[in-house]
Amino acid sequence: MATKIEIANRLAMSFVKSTSKEEGANLIIRELNSLTYDNTNTNISNSDKLEIIKLIGEFISGQRPFQYRDGGTVIITEQKDNSNYLNVIDYIFVNVKK
């Protein structure tokens, strides 16, 4: 399994790029609910899911820069109002299997 930061980065990036934020949020929920540990093939723990959701929120809010496969990062020079996106994080939190 990829690291939590790699998973959160990928999911946050797909959410931001999605044309329908509702569908983007539902994709994140499906992905989180289907993640398994490589060594045991069991679903990841609720605490790991919550940590990934927290990281997704950091990426979306601009607290953490997105990272790309080639090692590059996006530098955010201006803080934008991401309150709508952060409301989606609450939606994901409530709808992820616990």
Side-chain angles (χ1 to χ4, degrees), residues 1-93:
M1 181 173 91
T3 68
K4 293 174 197 169
I5 291 177
E6 291 169 337
I7 293 167
N9 183 70
R10 179 177 54 82
L11 293 175
M13 201 176 296
S14 69
F15 173 79
V16 170
K17 290 179 179 179
S18 68
T19 55
S20 165
K21 298 310 176 199
E22 181 179 353
E23 186 55 38
N26 289 328
L27 171 74
I28 290 172
I29 293 166
R30 284 191 305 272
E31 289 275 334
L32 288 174
N33 287 334
S34 67
L35 285 174
T36 59
Y37 297 112
D38 289 337
N39 57 343
T40 62
N41 207 29
T42 58
N43 290 336
I44 67 169
S45 69
N46 292 333
S47 62
D48 283 344
K49 288 179 187 178
L50 296 178
E51 191 173 338
I52 292 170
I53 292 170
K54 179 182 175 241
L55 290 167
I56 290 170
E58 290 177 10
F59 281 115
I60 291 172
S61 70
Q63 292 174 316
R64 185 182 290 270
F66 286 101
Q67 299 174 352
Y68 291 90
R69 291 182 187 186
D70 65 358
T73 59
V74 173
I75 299 171
I76 299 172
T77 57
E78 177 182 322
Q79 190 71 8
K80 296 182 180 176
D81 179 16
N82 291 315
S83 56
N84 288 335
Y85 293 139
L86 297 179
N87 289 337
V88 173
I89 294 299
D90 292 335
Y91 170 80
I92 292 167
F93 176 75

